[in-house]
Amino acid sequence: MNSKLIQIRKFEKEPIQEIDTAYFNNYPIVYILYNDAKSPSAYIGQTVHLQRRMKDHLKNAERKILKTALFIGNEKFNQSATYNVETNLINFFIAEKKYKLQNISQTLDNKMHDYYNKEYYDQIFFESIWEELRAQDIVRESLEELKNKDVFKLSPYKELSAEQMDLKYHIIDYCKKHIDDEQHSIFFIEGDAGTGKSVVLSSTFNTIQDLSQDKGSKLYGTENYLLVNHQEMLKTYKDISETLPNLKKKNFMKPTSFVNRKTTGKKSVADIVFVDEAHLLLSKKDSYNNFNQDNHLEEIIKQSKVTIVVYDRKQVLKFKSFWDTKLIDHVKRGIHSEVLMLTNQFRIRAEEDILNWMDDFTNKQISPLPKSLTNAGQENFELKIFSDAGEMYQKIKQKNKKYGLSRLVSTFDYLHKKDGKDYYIEEPHLKLPWNRTHYKKTWAEVEDTINEVGSIYTIQGFDLNYVGVILGPSVSYNFEKGQLEILTANYKDSEAFKARDDISADQIEVLKEQIILNSINVLMKRGIHGLYIYASDPKLRQKLMSLYD
């Protein structure tokens, strides 16, 4: 990038007036205001009126702690391009976590849209800006490193599709409409894995929190929370809160902690409560986790005026999280409720026939390999079946070295193989520790976990670039019936099948099978660019390898 198109000045009146280059006065520009204090802060923006905008910032008490102004100009800039660059900068600054950003949601409209030459500004031009910022020691990490972080993928400033943006508007309007109702209100968001539910939730919660600080908003002064019953996901949300002004760690909690919290002060009931991954909520008592009521969702609704719930029935992984229509209807009785669906797949960069193949598999059908795999478009997504677990592992390591964030995962079938404190997966040419959960960072972001195998509990809700799935002994094939055969006795997740009184005996085996199929669905849909599969069971391995005949 031409360094003349980046200018750095002290953030004060006179030096800013000295900028007279045409790029900075006759075209839209992007700017970063920042300081190098012990706890660095920054503000990122774009404007068509540089001098006026800087004067406004200089009058702002918060901006006065920012000592340096960096301006990015280009004679080919238009407002779509500067908005794109501004949004990218905010997302990558959030991911790097060097600066506490002062940005708030000045607009609700972060809709994904195309414009002339977007690919150039989004990739080539932005990369040159970032490398210049690294050269100036304003930022440190590379774009590739940051793109693989879950904080980046869940950033509240990520561009949203039209479908996602409509949902965000709908949620905010719903909150404004029902915040003063006497009765409780609940809004359900349903969607399959990879449809961007958590991204919408992250974006919407951030905007709600910004509105709670806006004296002109109907939501001013509201006390709001985002709950998730998933330790890895909770880590990510709390990491995001460290970089934005109106997100606080105390507003991100596990459901049981929220339900059992001691209510003090004026408010005994929260205003708006968002629940991510609601398929992980408990639907029965669980003394081990200090939950002594009947079900999480009912208690959360009691303690909130408006409840926003993200749910995927295909990701229920335990009896104690099982929700059927009857139970949901029981929880919703006597309160206002709405349901909206997300349908478009955003995680997996694959043709529709590949997505259909995965869905068929989790419905116990093994279809012929998708035709798109033999076409020129295969570089967009790689689906490959292996007869040797060690060979699959070597392939995953190659992908991890080239692209990062590529990992092995498996079904919950291996607890019987233990060595000291670790459980191990042992397959031909493969012996690796399995299901380690002690890391402070998200499991897949720990570099050494390339030498491990993850489980549904370490990877649910997160993205990988390439995923290698080991289907353990609980997943077989019945050649007579021509379909998958689920051997529930081989599934080693004892917590998943803990008995409960409201599930009849004739339901239990069906539900066990569905939980295992749900776990396969979760594992298969982690990879953005590729899915590799190895089957431990000889019958299933034979069937899968026959697809290449």
Side-chain angles (χ1 to χ4, degrees), residues 429-446:
H429 307 117
L430 180 79
K431 181 181 179 182
L432 291 174
W434 175 74
N435 195 36
R436 286 177 172 171
T437 58
H438 63 277
Y439 299 106
K440 292 182 179 180
K441 293 172 62 177
T442 302
W443 177 80
E445 289 184 2
V446 177

Side-chain angles (χ1 to χ4, degrees), residues 174-176 178-181 183-186 205 208-209 212 218-226 251 258 261 266-274 300-308:
Y174 186 88
C175 291
K176 291 178 178 178
H178 295 286
I179 192 63
D180 294 323
D181 289 358
Q183 67 174 3
H184 301 280
S185 302
I186 185 167
F205 185 70
I208 290 286
Q209 289 299 84
S212 75
K218 190 174 182 180
L219 300 179
Y220 175 67
T222 51
E223 179 186 322
N224 312 310
Y225 295 87
L226 193 155
N251 296 111
F258 173 78
R261 82 195 195 286
K266 296 180 180 179
K267 292 186 177 180
S268 60
V269 174
D271 292 300
I272 304 167
V273 175
F274 290 69
I300 292 167
I301 291 170
K302 287 178 184 176
Q303 294 195 34
S304 57
K305 293 180 180 178
V306 180
T307 314
I308 311 297

Side-chain angles (χ1 to χ4, degrees), residues 42 177 395 486:
K177 182 177 180 181
K395 185 73 171 178
I486 304 301

